[in-house]
Amino acid sequence: MALVHKLLNGTYILRKCPKPGVASCPFLNTRFADYCSSSLEKPVAAPGKASSQRKTEGNLEGHHQREVALDITSPEDKPEVSFDKAIKEEIKDHFRRLKDDIVNHWIGPEGRPLHEVLMEQAKVVWQFRGKEDLDKWIVTSDKTIGGRSEVFLKMGRSNQSALLYGTLSSEAPQDGESGRSGYCAMISKIPTGPFERKRFYDWSQFNTLYLRVRGDGRPWMVNIREDTDVIQRKDQMYSYFMFTRGGPYWQEVKIPFSKFFFSNRGRIRDAQYQLLLDKISSIGFTLADKVDGPFFLEIDFIGVFTDPAHTEEFAYENSPELNPRLFK
Amino acid sequence: MSWAQAILLARGLSRGWGGICSTALTGAPFSQVTPQAPRGLHCSTAAHQPDSPLVPRPPEPQRGLVKALAPHEELFRQAPDGVRDKASFVQAVQNFTQYNVHKRGHVDFIYLALRKMREYGVERDLAIYNLLLDIFPKEVFRPRNIFHSIFLHYPRQQECGIAVLEQMENHGVMPNKETEFLLTQIFGRKSYPMLKFVRMKLWFTRFKNINPFPVPRDLPQDPVDLARLALRHMEPDLSARVTVYQMPLSKDSTDATDPTEPHIIGIQSPDQQAALAHHDPAHPIFVEGPFSLWLRDKCVYYHILRADLLPPEERLDLAYGRSSWDDYEFNIDEVEEGPVFAICMAGAHDQATLAKWIQGLQETNPTLARIPVVFRLSASSGELLASSSGLEEPPLTPPEGREEEENNQQRQQQSQS
């Protein structure tokens, strides 16, 4: 498994010289073919999504989107260092991180003392205060399936927020199999430890997601993916809607984790399961509201906290009409 | 006749076995046959042309465009005056059922009608969807024994039923009891369209009211009313007052937004008024814009009057006392921006119109006369909105977009005199 992961992420090792990852292209294409074909499964409720988000292992999607994402290496930044030196530096960096990892394990989870972690009630998970914070996100749009939407991510005013902007176009690509199109997404990269090992977030003490955003009135969808090695579960995610108000004021969006509904390959499942917070892999924002035009979303920070007033465990119940097998 | 039927079977093979076999048995062949269209495959007993299925007739060129018309499409062109509305759509559907007692090619017709709905403006009309479902012959596609229910009984028709429901879902139309009865009559209770209907019933009712900032479905057409709605939508303070500083010319003129007299509507809350009264005239205030706001599918633009952040020593720092156990504050400094004093929406985005707004504001805020006002307008995009597309221009490609941004920055610097 680690070897397969390594092969897929082979392009990530050389940071300065990215390869397009030709070997992985057929893999990508087959996955996309599945998403676009119509099937008799249950579609997602409003706002309807044309195709589901792709989970990106490492920088695969990032390389595809190099020409549209604004966080590309500028042409002046030519790699002057030699190939070997880059590899050596990378290996040293990984060993250093491994050493930090082992040392931190003695101090406590993620290097913080245990009492601090247990007593924590509000935690900032992603903030946007510099260019390196933007590198933790990937932006995709339906350009990957042949659509016309564009999306860019850059630092906002005075380097204190991130601005996700672009144009949505619901013109369907003429590839004979997709009937609908028009989506833009911003997905967080999966956290990695030393030697690019997959890591996950553990938010089991918290029960609400907190976002400080400033939108333009469009409805967004927040998707959370769990960390899993089972390949059938790679298309499953938990989602909920984020309605922006628009206007010049910052908006605080609080979404309890109990409200996230379960969907598979972009369509709501009949059997609903609660989002378990102990192994979260990534979070993403999608815009697919079928309205053509420019959009923007400014994000200040994303955090999780415990809302003591929120006692609901899961908002959706399974009905015997839709799922008789669960009620036998 | 059996020879022609064999040809029909062969043609329909690519569409799947089950549907074809069952339709051949029930005597409703799958070809597109209409008395009006002398195109495609003829199924007449009188003279069968052996060449026609193998050599399809070329499509008639329409106005120079070589586009093959879908079967039954001429039914949608029969409106005498070309008006496309609900009545002519219903008329077209009824023409189909009249000329086609056996409903031949109803699946294709329903797909075509679904595509045409947007032109006729009826995509959110539940009665029309029920009418389309009514086209299906009843009781024919219901599974009657266990073999029917194991294998997808009449797969094309079930897919078509699902397509109707899917378009309903895309446009946010809630099905009703009539739809349920029709689906039960046509496909039976255990079919996929019925399953989709049950899911729609569940999830639509579940997510109907989750928008904390609801926008009415039918937006007002009048720009002044729309601006009023938008300003109220943006301003969280309920005690804010909306003032119309300038009405557009009366409706006798050709367009309501005359370039010489566009509408100007502003909103300001009492807190903002007080803050503006206390503002130090030494610091200038800025008119920024235009920023975009989307209301369902309409995009409107607004400008704001704001001041820059005060330097740290002049800022009030309120420290909240917290208990040692509970700490729900995030360990981060939130983005700090200067206070907003007023928001406005105008028909035009140039300095003259906004100057009129400032003059109108001066009536309620006399201190505004002494404070210098700087106009920080960008021609096509504001600082909040960094996309390169103009107000009504189509979206530009990224390389052009970057040039536009540079132009905007230059213009911004010029306007910041």
Side-chain angles (χ1 to χ4, degrees):
Chain A
M1 182 55 212
L3 186 60
V4 173
H5 188 78
K6 219 50 177 106
L7 285 173
L8 285 174
N9 290 335
T11 53
Y12 188 76
I13 293 288
L14 308 160
R15 258 191 245 150
K16 293 265 178 96
C17 331
K19 274 193 309 197
V22 174
S24 50
C25 276
F27 182 70
L28 277 172
N29 286 342
T30 47
R31 286 186 83 160
F32 275 126
D34 284 343
Y35 293 169
C36 301
S37 62
S38 64
S39 58
L40 290 174
E41 292 164 342
K42 164 80 184 93
V44 178
K49 248 161 50 103
S51 54
S52 62
Q53 276 169 264
R54 264 219 77 211
K55 179 164 171 177
T56 56
E57 309 254 40
N59 265 350
L60 282 176
E61 202 68 62
H63 287 309
H64 270 266
Q65 293 300 313
R66 283 290 178 197
E67 55 272 14
V68 292
L70 254 189
D71 45 345
I72 51 174
T73 50
S74 48
E76 307 94 58
D77 187 14
K78 282 267 179 246
E80 288 114 11
V81 295
S82 70
F83 200 76
D84 298 324
K85 191 156 173 228
I87 293 185
K88 281 204 191 94
E89 268 184 26
E90 189 91 22
I91 292 177
K92 269 194 249 174
D93 189 43
H94 281 302
F95 272 113
R96 199 179 327 127
R97 281 163 71 182
L98 182 65
K99 187 230 357 158
D100 288 336
D101 211 27
I102 295 172
V103 165
N104 286 341
H105 190 70
W106 288 106
I107 306 174
E110 289 159 34
R112 295 151 71 209
L114 189 64
H115 65 268
E116 198 185 296
V117 170
L118 283 182
M119 299 291 286
E120 200 178 30
Q121 280 157 331
K123 178 170 152 181
V124 176
V125 191
W126 285 281
Q127 59 185 11
F128 297 96
R129 297 287 182 267
K131 261 276 186 279
E132 61 277 359
D133 295 319
L134 287 187
D135 287 337
K136 294 188 195 149
W137 294 82
I138 298 175
V139 283
T140 57
S141 70
D142 67 349
K143 264 207 159 72
T144 49
I145 56 168
R148 302 263 180 99
S149 319
E150 292 162 352
V151 63
F152 309 99
L153 178 66
K154 69 171 201 179
M155 287 305 288
R157 210 203 312 216
S158 65
N159 263 8
Q160 286 207 311
S161 55
L163 180 67
L164 177 74
Y165 67 100
T167 320
L168 197 70
S169 156
S170 55
E171 199 185 310
Q174 308 282 337
D175 56 358
E177 52 179 0
S178 19
R180 297 177 293 169
S181 181
Y183 70 92
C184 296
M186 174 165 129
I187 313 159
S188 75
K189 286 192 190 159
I190 306 168
T192 49
F195 296 106
E196 308 303 326
R197 290 189 64 225
K198 220 171 30 159
R199 276 253 181 87
F200 51 85
Y201 297 105
D202 181 3
W203 295 338
S204 29
Q205 304 153 277
F206 309 105
N207 68 358
T208 318
L209 181 70
Y210 179 97
L211 305 135
R212 190 152 192 268
V213 296
R214 182 157 59 180
D216 55 349
R218 288 218 186 189
W220 290 76
M221 201 151 172
V222 181
N223 308 306
I224 296 184
R225 286 194 191 250
E226 280 194 331
D227 173 42
T228 175
D229 285 330
V230 181
I231 204 155
Q232 284 85 358
R233 295 185 67 182
K234 291 219 190 291
D235 304 322
Q236 293 171 353
M237 61 188 180
Y238 296 82
S239 349
Y240 199 66
F241 309 99
M242 173 171 84
F243 291 97
T244 49
R245 188 183 200 141
Y249 304 111
W250 283 96
Q251 181 189 352
E252 297 176 348
V253 179
K254 295 185 200 165
I255 309 177
F257 288 117
S258 61
K259 294 273 187 216
F260 281 81
F261 57 83
F262 181 57
S263 64
N264 178 18
R265 303 191 79 180
R267 297 189 179 254
I268 294 189
R269 283 270 297 260
D270 289 337
Q272 284 295 319
Y273 304 108
Q274 189 184 2
L275 167 64
L276 296 171
L277 294 155
D278 54 347
K279 278 198 167 193
I280 303 284
S281 169
S282 68
I283 200 173
F285 302 98
T286 309
L287 178 70
D289 60 349
K290 302 183 272 254
V291 174
D292 295 345
F295 65 88
F296 72 90
L297 182 74
E298 242 185 294
I299 312 176
D300 181 13
F301 70 91
I302 299 168
V304 284
F305 76 104
T306 326
D307 190 356
H310 187 80
T311 48
E312 192 185 39
E313 287 194 3
F314 189 48
Y316 309 104
E317 32 182 49
N318 291 303
S319 73
E321 207 175 275
L322 276 180
N323 244 332
R325 267 180 300 176
L326 288 178
F327 287 87
K328 283 246 174 72
Chain B
M1 194 51 206
S2 62
W3 197 88
Q5 262 195 343
I7 294 169
L8 281 173
L9 275 177
R11 260 192 75 159
L13 261 179
S14 57
R15 302 199 207 179
W17 277 104
I20 295 303
C21 291
S22 30
T23 47
L25 284 172
T26 53
F30 227 90
S31 69
Q32 307 93 11
V33 171
T34 56
Q36 289 102 331
R39 267 192 325 278
L41 178 64
H42 282 268
C43 198
S44 55
T45 51
H48 68 263
Q49 291 130 28
D51 288 0
S52 50
L54 305 170
V55 180
R57 281 169 72 126
E60 295 150 9
Q62 297 280 332
R63 284 169 276 134
L65 296 168
V66 187
K67 202 168 74 160
L69 283 181
H72 311 298
E73 192 158 338
E74 67 290 336
L75 280 172
F76 284 98
R77 286 169 196 268
Q78 275 175 3
D81 45 354
V83 154
R84 305 197 149 188
D85 63 344
K86 184 171 168 176
S88 47
F89 192 91
V90 171
Q91 184 65 38
V93 170
Q94 278 169 355
N95 282 349
F96 173 80
T97 45
Q98 254 181 334
Y99 285 115
N100 236 327
V101 178
H102 299 287
K103 311 274 177 67
R104 285 172 194 173
H106 59 273
V107 171
D108 289 312
F109 179 74
I110 291 176
Y111 279 127
L112 175 70
L114 286 174
R115 285 197 294 272
K116 292 272 182 192
M117 265 180 155
R118 193 169 263 272
E119 283 174 28
Y120 286 73
V122 290
E123 69 263 13
R124 287 209 243 117
D125 199 338
L126 179 60
I128 297 285
Y129 286 108
N130 286 338
L131 190 72
L132 280 189
L133 280 178
D134 209 18
I135 298 177
F136 281 108
K138 315 287 182 298
E139 310 285 343
V140 184
F141 308 135
R142 290 174 79 155
R144 247 164 269 181
N145 51 40
I146 188 125
F147 299 106
H148 286 171
S149 20
I150 293 174
F151 299 103
L152 187 62
H153 200 47
Y154 284 99
R156 305 299 141 226
Q157 278 80 351
Q158 289 212 19
E159 272 172 23
C160 187
I162 291 176
V164 173
L165 286 171
E166 181 134 356
Q167 190 163 33
M168 243 199 264
E169 180 196 342
N170 277 347
H171 289 111
V173 177
M174 178 81 191
N176 66 356
K177 278 198 153 65
E178 196 188 332
T179 323
E180 185 180 0
F181 181 68
L182 277 167
L183 286 173
T184 318
Q185 242 191 346
I186 301 168
F187 296 109
R189 259 190 329 112
K190 300 268 183 148
S191 58
Y192 280 98
M194 197 58 203
L195 189 56
K196 184 176 167 75
F197 171 82
V198 168
R199 288 180 186 133
M200 274 166 88
K201 209 164 62 158
L202 170 68
W203 293 108
F204 273 23
T205 43
R206 196 70 182 74
F207 293 138
K208 192 168 156 68
N209 296 321
I210 52 169
N211 192 348
F213 318 112
V215 176
R217 189 130 264 193
D218 300 312
L219 290 169
Q221 297 296 322
D222 183 27
V224 176
D225 287 334
L226 185 64
R228 213 187 280 260
L229 176 75
L231 287 172
R232 278 251 170 254
H233 182 82
M234 282 194 294
E235 181 63 57
D237 197 342
L238 289 172
S239 53
R241 271 185 317 137
V242 177
T243 335
V244 180
Y245 296 106
Q246 185 170 284
M247 286 288 284
L249 287 181
S250 63
K251 304 279 186 298
D252 304 334
S253 58
T254 42
D255 52 339
T257 54
D258 200 349
T260 53
E261 278 234 11
H263 61 275
I264 305 174
I265 301 157
I267 190 172
Q268 196 182 36
S269 71
D271 290 339
Q272 286 169 339
Q273 244 179 324
L276 189 55
H278 290 294
H279 186 80
D280 184 9
H283 303 285
I285 57 177
F286 305 97
V287 175
E288 291 177 4
F291 306 117
S292 64
L293 171 76
W294 282 91
L295 293 168
R296 282 213 187 250
D297 53 350
K298 277 212 183 131
C299 187
V300 291
Y301 295 90
Y302 62 93
H303 296 259
I304 54 177
L305 182 71
R306 70 143 36 117
D308 261 350
L309 263 184
L310 297 170
E313 54 268 9
E314 292 178 31
R315 240 179 277 169
L316 281 180
D317 199 9
L318 303 162
Y320 296 99
R322 332 188 174 105
S323 65
S324 50
W325 286 113
D326 285 336
D327 181 12
Y328 297 108
E329 302 291 320
F330 286 98
N331 190 14
I332 189 173
D333 294 321
E334 293 177 353
V335 172
E336 300 213 356
E337 286 178 357
V340 174
F341 294 124
I343 316 176
C344 97
M345 277 199 183
H349 302 276
D350 57 327
Q351 195 155 332
T353 326
L354 295 167
K356 279 192 213 164
W357 171 48
I358 300 290
Q359 278 166 8
L361 264 183
Q362 275 175 6
E363 287 164 32
T364 43
N365 304 283
T367 46
L368 191 53
R370 290 187 312 224
I371 308 175
V373 176
V374 178
F375 287 85
R376 259 201 228 155
L377 308 171
S378 358
S380 61
S381 64
E383 281 159 41
L384 272 187
L385 168 70
S387 85
S388 52
S389 54
L391 300 174
E392 265 91 42
E393 286 162 41
L396 305 167
T397 58
E400 282 176 27
R402 278 188 213 125
E403 279 170 61
E404 270 275 335
E405 265 194 68
E406 285 158 17
N407 286 346
N408 290 340
Q409 281 163 11
Q410 284 168 14
R411 266 177 258 174
Q412 255 186 11
Q413 285 157 11
Q414 281 166 16
S415 65
Q416 271 183 31
S417 48

